[in-house]
Every structure is written in C-alpha cells, then in structure tokens.
Amino acid sequence: MRVVFLGTPDFAVPSLRSIAASRHEVVCVVTQPDRPRDRGRVSASPVKAEAEKLGLPVLQFEKIVRDGGADELAKYGADVMVTCAYGQILDQRLLSLTRHGVINVHASLLPAYRGSSPIQWAVINGEKTTGVTTMRTSLGLDRGDVIEQASLDIGESETAGELFVRLADLGAELIVSTLDKLEAGTAVFTPQDESRASYFPMFRKESGLIDVNGTVTSFVNFVRGTSPWPGAYGKVDGKVFKIHRARAMREDEPCPRRRYFPGEFAAFFGKLHLALIDGLAVLEEVQLEGGKKMSGEAFLLGHSDINGKTIEV
C-alpha cells in the first residue's frame, strides 16, 4: 500500500524505518517544522532526519489543517496515512483523505493512558505492564477503534527513557502487521470501552518538580518516570538539583541514628538519601546546576554539608 507517514520525535523513527523496509511504500513523510532545540540551534526533527536518509519526500506544516495539508497530501494518492507522535490534531477531511483512513501508533494499551505522555505516566504510576496500540483515528483524543495491541513488562528499575526505546521498537513491528492486515482485508476494528478510559496530561518542564510528601515508592517511580526529561528536580541553596536515579533503602542497609523529616537530605555511611513520609530513598545519581551528573557518593565528597538541608520544591 501507498503510505503517508506523519511523525516527529525519536519514538516515531523505528515505525517509519520499519514501514519503509516493508513491502508497503512510503510516498511522503510529514513532520513538524524545524525548531530551536539544543542550545537554541534550529534543527530538524528526528523523523525528518530519518526521512532524508531514506530519500523520502518531506512536508512540514506549522498547522497542517490551517495550511492546506489535505490538499497537498491528496496529490500523493495514498491508500492510508499513519501517525506516530506527530503532535498536531487532524480534522475530518484529513481523517477521510485515504480509503483506509488514518492509523495511529499509540504507546499504551488503550483505552488506558490516553494523551501525549503515556510512557512517563505509566512508569510514574508504578504500572507493571504496558504496550502499544494501533487504532483507526477518529475525532477525539485517542478514541478510535483498536486494531492490534502488543504488551510488555516494565522493568522494576526501568526509566521512561529506557521504556521509550522498547515501546518504539514494539510499535515498529505492530504497525507493519496492521498495514498487512488492512491490505488483506483481515483487520478487525474493536471499539474502546469508554468505562475503562484514563487520561493524563502532556509532560512539560515543570512536570519534573518533586513532591516530598509522598512515599518512597511513589518518589522512586517519579524519578524513573521523569528520566531523562524533564528530570526530577528541586533546588538546593537556590540552585536546581536534579535526581536522575533513586531507589528505596534495602532492609539490610544501616539506618541513621536520628529522624529526618520529609524533604531533608540525609548523609550517612557514604550515601546520599532524601527523606519521604515513610522512609528514606537512596539518591544514586544526581546533578547540581552547573555541574555534571554523578553518583550520590561522589556528590557527597564535595558537598558534605548537605546533610540536614531541605530540598526546595
């Protein structure tokens, strides 16, 4: 089948690559405009960079609906459009542009975790299992009929960034399977159970601000879910302090002699900890504004006075 692919970030790259390597033909790639990224330097999206490597035509619209995207895409005579983390809302004309409509690759087991940041929220919420869904897009946030799903287990210490890679690869496999079934006429469309739907907001930079009034488990999951971006953070002496990796204390590890209150740093036996409402989390990898990532032990060598200080949130 002739495919128009719409996607923007790293997550979409394996799906684009997988479709391009299949018997289906990617006739056009649509992605977000080049934008300032690293230190303000304007650069192309990961999908555009991959499309150019593959020698595929690329279109970029500031607003695909407003800027005549449907008219441009109609010229390619595609059989289906595939979206994967494209980042813009499509209208009914775009949804109806091809005979198979628009198929979306979504990084959750719908109807759970609708929205633009399902991977981060699944980790933050301590889920043990997640997956990828292919669905036929309709008007409304991730509400279309499910075509296929594939699941995987989330590792106990796995970060959102690590899970992101595995789900992207899983989505790349699933979308080709879905396109094969569409072409063969064997695809089954299953309406979502709205009573099981859950929605979570888009992640922003401020989403990484930590809450010291939760449990150790919820804090550790939050650190995992915000890694690598935006990172779990607060402030120490007015400087941004990021926590990249943390874990709960083990039962066989020595405890401090005094009590620490939620938000206090505790330094003992060469390790850096943060107090939560039900105990202490070990801070395994941290970064103070202006410095490099380092282990909690290494950080203590130069900041032994942090013991007893309270993180600013």
Side-chain angles (χ1 to χ4, degrees), residues 63-66 86-91 94-95 139-141:
K63 295 291 183 181
I64 191 170
V65 173
R66 182 197 66 194
Y86 172 49
Q88 292 192 32
I89 301 296
L90 308 185
D91 65 0
L94 282 161
L95 296 180
L139 294 177
L141 184 60

Side-chain angles (χ1 to χ4, degrees), residues 292-309:
K292 297 179 179 180
K293 288 183 185 179
M294 61 181 68
S295 68
E297 293 93 332
F299 182 82
L300 276 179
L301 294 176
H303 300 85
S304 58
D305 62 338
I306 198 171
N307 185 58
K309 287 185 178 181

Side-chain angles (χ1 to χ4, degrees), residues 217-237:
T217 297
S218 64
F219 173 77
V220 170
N221 288 343
F222 183 78
V223 172
R224 292 168 53 219
T226 56
S227 174
W229 189 90
Y233 70 92
K235 287 189 175 182
V236 175
D237 296 329

Side-chain angles (χ1 to χ4, degrees), residues 61-75:
F61 303 97
E62 192 65 42
K63 295 291 183 181
I64 191 170
V65 173
R66 182 197 66 194
D67 297 341
D71 291 333
E72 287 295 317
L73 295 180
K75 299 174 184 177

Side-chain angles (χ1 to χ4, degrees), residues 11 14 16 20 77 82 88 105 119 124-126 168 172 199 202 206 238 246 256 271 297 307 310:
F11 182 82
L16 171 59
V82 172
Q88 292 192 32
V105 181
I119 299 173
I124 288 172
N125 290 338
Y199 299 82
M202 177 186 294
E206 57 270 23
K271 295 185 183 298
E297 293 93 332
N307 185 58
T310 300

Side-chain angles (χ1 to χ4, degrees), residues 256-312:
R257 294 181 179 179
R258 78 170 180 88
R259 179 186 177 189
Y260 288 87
F261 295 92
E264 276 192 288
F265 288 102
F268 54 91
F269 291 99
K271 295 185 183 298
L272 179 61
H273 308 73
L274 185 67
L276 286 307
I277 62 170
D278 64 342
L280 297 167
V282 181
L283 307 187
E284 296 188 304
E285 188 176 56
V286 300
Q287 183 176 16
L288 186 62
E289 183 178 344
K292 297 179 179 180
K293 288 183 185 179
M294 61 181 68
S295 68
E297 293 93 332
F299 182 82
L300 276 179
L301 294 176
H303 300 85
S304 58
D305 62 338
I306 198 171
N307 185 58
K309 287 185 178 181
T310 300
I311 194 167
E312 304 160 30

